Amino acid sequence: MSREALLDRLMDRYNAQDVDAYAAMFTEDGCEGGYRGEVVRQGRDGIRAGYAKVFAEFPQNRATVLEKFVYGDQILVREHVSRAPEAEPFEVMAIYSFKGDLIDRVEFIR
């Protein structure tokens, strides 16, 4: 499966709020964090627990890919995120890095 297809699958799982399927797309020690900064979710269990909280707090949370750039083993994505109808939507740039057919690291710029 191509990196772009993996990312499309990840976004589908995110928008379905399927935390188990979302976390399964990461390496066992994969992580998410700020760009060149602190890791905020570490390992599949940390990713699963973090998004379980986000989805519980924002059951209407959705992300839309606005632009996607493929650079070697990385994909840069500009996303539009809407947490709730009354909340201000925002955009984020995410840099996805891979190991094999799994995501190893995501760094967010917001």
Side-chain angles (χ1 to χ4, degrees), residues 32-41 93 95 105-110:
E32 295 183 327
Y35 177 66
R36 300 179 78 176
E38 182 181 343
V39 170
V40 294
R41 287 179 280 278
M93 182 66 86
I95 303 168
R105 183 175 182 88
V106 183
E107 294 183 80
F108 296 103
I109 303 169
R110 181 174 171 204

Side-chain angles (χ1 to χ4, degrees), residues 2-56:
S2 74
R3 299 274 195 257
E4 287 184 85
L6 285 169
L7 186 63
D8 291 342
R9 181 179 285 175
L10 180 78
M11 295 306 292
D12 289 343
R13 292 174 175 187
Y14 178 90
N15 286 329
Q17 297 194 358
D18 187 339
V19 293
D20 292 325
Y22 182 87
M25 302 278 309
F26 286 79
T27 60
E28 191 64 40
D29 60 345
C31 65
E32 295 183 327
Y35 177 66
R36 300 179 78 176
E38 182 181 343
V39 170
V40 294
R41 287 179 280 278
Q42 180 67 51
R44 280 189 189 142
D45 290 338
I47 291 167
R48 183 180 298 109
Y51 281 105
K53 289 178 187 176
V54 169
F55 297 153

Side-chain angles (χ1 to χ4, degrees), residues 36-96:
R36 300 179 78 176
E38 182 181 343
V39 170
V40 294
R41 287 179 280 278
Q42 180 67 51
R44 280 189 189 142
D45 290 338
I47 291 167
R48 183 180 298 109
Y51 281 105
K53 289 178 187 176
V54 169
F55 297 153
E57 185 176 350
F58 302 106
Q60 295 175 316
N61 185 74
R62 298 290 179 272
T64 304
V65 173
L66 301 175
E67 294 181 278
K68 194 182 320 181
F69 307 95
V70 179
Y71 293 105
D73 285 340
Q74 297 174 321
I75 298 180
L76 285 71
V77 179
R78 186 168 67 104
E79 301 173 13
H80 174 88
V81 180
S82 176
R83 296 272 192 222
E86 67 280 355
E88 186 71 29
F90 60 92
E91 288 189 12
V92 63
M93 182 66 86
I95 303 168
Y96 292 85

